[in-house]
Amino acid sequence: MDDSELIARAQAWLAEDPDPETREELAKLIETADAADTEELAARFSGTLQFGTAGLRGELGAGPMRMNRSVVIRAAAGLAAYLKAQGQTDGLVVIGYDARHKSADFARDTAAVMTGAGLRAAVLPRPLPTPVLAFAIRHLGAVAGVEVTASHNPPRDNGYKVYLGDGSQIVPPADAEIAAQIDAVPSLHDVPRPETGWETLGDDVLDAYLARTDAVLSPDSPRTARTVYTAMHGVGKDTLLAAFERAGFPAPVLVAEQAEPDPDFPTVAFPNPEEPGAMDLSFAKAREVDPDLIIANDPDADRCAAAVKDGADWRMLRGDEVGALLAAHLVRRGARGTFAESIVSSSLLGRIAEKAGLGYEETLTGFKWIARVEGLRYGYEEALGYCVDPEGVRDKDGITAALLLTELASELKEQGRTLLDLLDDLAVEHGLHATDQLSVRVEDLSLIADAMRRLREQPPTSLAGLPVTKAEDLTQGTDTLPPTDGLRYTLDGARVIVRPSGTEPKLKCYLEVVVPVPAKDGLPTARTEATELLAAIKRDLSAAAGI
């Protein structure tokens, strides 16, 4: 589009924008564009935000490629139209939100749009963890749910997750059908938004959720493990503390600097426990009080991270390690049903399930897929997401995962053992499954497309000296997976998956090597071999992708 068309589109957007802040911002950008500086305006009007792995997500600001009240009102109107087209003409839509900038405004706008469309709307009483919203949908018999959150993204971002009445996030074709309804929304002036008419819920739903958290634990299990906890400046603290108190665990020692919600996330570069430096304050507190375990939630508390004492200091457990630990714990407790994980997670879960005689399934990335597995008993993915109570919450839940992991740590403590001892046992029993990730954050999204194209045109024939025995372009789908933008390479004793992130401007490469361990005294040698193999695969893959 030429400059005059760009400015005309921006002016039309400005005329509808209900938010004084973004109106002022956009007016200045239009003024700059009139002076022939159109780069920033073009970035904001180059398209529209699309539903990714976890809904709409983007930087706050004016324009259709940013998160703002105009985008949210259109999204809500499209969702309302979709629900009515499905025959849900007076159904309930329940709305939750986190403590990020604009989250409360976006929740209120959604409630107003639903009410104006003739649906019933109910808003959670205050910023609460995402799993409380996921629970509330089925608990209240809602036809849909919306959670306003950008999870662990940078402070400048916000997002919009949509769930249907089964309590799980939308997948195709619903996402495309809702997107079509969003595109069909005419002027925002035509979207009714009454000032009142929706319900603000009390604490009944939260109390029901907390009562449900008790069910993930064994009634007679020990509750002795001492924890340090960080909420990562998010909304998890009060709910997690209440759940731990109900369960009878020692009260977690808080990382005070990160305990209260703060949308600016002042102590971390990225509010994601996986990011370098994010756990430094937790480690410092653990060195001070010497707990059995460190627990961290991300800002909307749907993810759970853990760190353990390893020698003289503390280290983060990988998501795959926690995933295997929780699986082993559930197996020992006699869990029945299907264990599931996304394709980017460790194949160790499949081996644990097979040995226990349990069903096992791989899905595409995201809990919107994992939660839909028939007969699901436990699901996880390597990005710190765990679903340990699928009947209660059909999504990842950082609160119940923290409870279950602390129960496991308590049981091992009573035996004079640790989580690391159990990981060693699993390595001897099933082979050492070592995972790593090559993750490249970009400013220019075309770099991701270039890397994917390069790998498709010239797929590697070997990595780290291991021949590639099978190369799959997942855009074609497989016998068990629908199509997705990804590549999977199977090697002799290793596996690599490459995909663009669905929530951030990143190219992600997931690496796994499996090294047999004949006996426990062979673990150090196996770990050295695995570390060297992962480093070599990472180096060769980086060269092949040109990143």
Side-chain angles (χ1 to χ4, degrees), residues 20-162:
E21 287 184 36
T22 45
R23 273 207 311 273
E24 181 181 355
E25 177 188 337
L26 184 54
K28 288 179 180 176
L29 287 174
I30 292 171
E31 187 178 323
T32 306
D34 281 335
D37 182 5
T38 61
E39 184 177 346
E40 178 63 22
L41 201 62
R44 292 165 182 249
F45 285 84
S46 61
T48 58
L49 290 180
Q50 301 295 313
F51 285 104
T53 305
L56 300 173
R57 200 175 286 183
E59 187 175 342
L60 289 165
M65 287 295 289
R66 299 287 186 267
M67 282 297 299
N68 51 65
R69 290 182 62 198
S70 296
V71 163
V72 165
I73 290 166
R74 287 182 178 277
L79 174 59
Y82 168 82
L83 292 170
K84 292 170 78 171
Q86 300 294 311
Q88 308 286 1
T89 53
D90 63 349
L92 173 68
V93 178
V94 62
I95 302 151
Y97 59 103
D98 67 11
R100 283 178 177 265
H101 292 297
K102 296 288 186 182
S103 286
D105 294 337
F106 294 168
R108 178 185 170 85
D109 281 332
T110 301
V113 170
M114 296 301 163
T115 303
L119 294 153
R120 293 177 292 124
V123 184
L124 293 182
R126 58 187 171 279
L128 286 167
T130 292
V132 177
L133 180 278
F135 166 82
I137 295 165
R138 298 178 72 213
H139 178 70
L140 297 174
V143 298
V146 170
E147 175 70 20
V148 180
T149 182
S151 190
H152 59 285
N153 275 39
R156 64 180 182 269
D157 289 2
N158 213 325
Y160 200 79
K161 293 171 83 166
V162 176

Side-chain angles (χ1 to χ4, degrees), residues 74 78 81 178-187:
R74 287 182 178 277
I178 293 169
Q181 294 283 7
I182 294 171
D183 291 343
V185 173
S187 167

Side-chain angles (χ1 to χ4, degrees), residues 10 15 21 31 58 68 89 110 123 150 156 189 225 238 241 265 296 355 372 391 405 456 483 504 526:
E21 287 184 36
E31 187 178 323
N68 51 65
T89 53
T110 301
V123 184
R156 64 180 182 269
H189 298 311
D238 291 346
L241 290 181
F265 306 105
K355 182 156 188 182
R372 283 183 157 72
E391 287 305 305
L405 191 62
R456 286 189 168 103
E504 300 175 88

Side-chain angles (χ1 to χ4, degrees), residues 287-433:
R287 293 181 197 113
E288 179 187 323
V289 302
D290 196 29
D292 300 300
L293 184 66
I294 298 173
I295 294 288
N297 286 139
D298 67 339
D300 69 326
D302 63 349
R303 298 172 191 237
C304 174
V308 295
K309 191 81 169 284
D310 188 4
D313 210 352
W314 291 80
R315 79 164 175 93
M316 274 275 288
L317 293 175
R318 289 187 170 275
D320 285 317
E321 291 176 312
V322 175
L325 288 168
L326 292 176
H329 185 43
L330 289 169
V331 165
R332 196 197 59 75
R333 281 179 25 180
R336 308 308 302 166
T338 298
F339 283 15
E341 64 181 341
S342 61
I343 57 172
V344 299
S345 305
S346 171
S347 59
L348 176 56
L349 184 70
R351 298 197 183 193
I352 292 171
E354 181 182 19
K355 182 156 188 182
L358 299 177
Y360 167 75
E361 280 197 35
E362 278 189 321
T363 74
L364 294 184
T365 307
F367 268 81
K368 62 185 182 181
W369 298 107
I370 293 171
R372 283 183 157 72
V373 168
E374 191 171 342
L376 180 67
R377 175 58 187 88
Y378 168 65
Y380 98 91
E381 75 181 358
E382 54 75 43
L384 310 181
Y386 314 94
C387 175
V388 302
D389 178 25
E391 287 305 305
V393 176
R394 292 190 178 178
D395 200 356
K396 55 186 178 290
D397 182 345
I399 306 295
T400 50
L403 285 171
L404 197 64
L405 191 62
T406 308
E407 177 186 61
L408 173 57
S410 298
E411 291 188 356
L412 291 166
K413 182 179 181 179
E414 297 298 298
Q415 301 164 17
R417 285 159 46 82
T418 68
L419 295 173
L420 293 180
D421 292 326
L422 180 52
L423 285 172
D424 287 350
D425 292 348
L426 292 172
V428 173
E429 186 174 2
H430 302 287
L432 177 66
H433 288 63

Side-chain angles (χ1 to χ4, degrees), residues 193-227:
R193 285 185 290 129
E195 292 293 319
T196 60
W198 57 88
E199 178 184 4
T200 299
L201 297 165
D203 279 344
D204 294 357
V205 169
L206 177 60
D207 292 342
Y209 167 81
L210 286 169
R212 179 88 202 182
T213 62
D214 299 346
V216 307
L217 303 174
S218 294
D220 57 350
S221 62
R223 313 281 167 92
T224 56
R226 296 166 49 254
T227 56

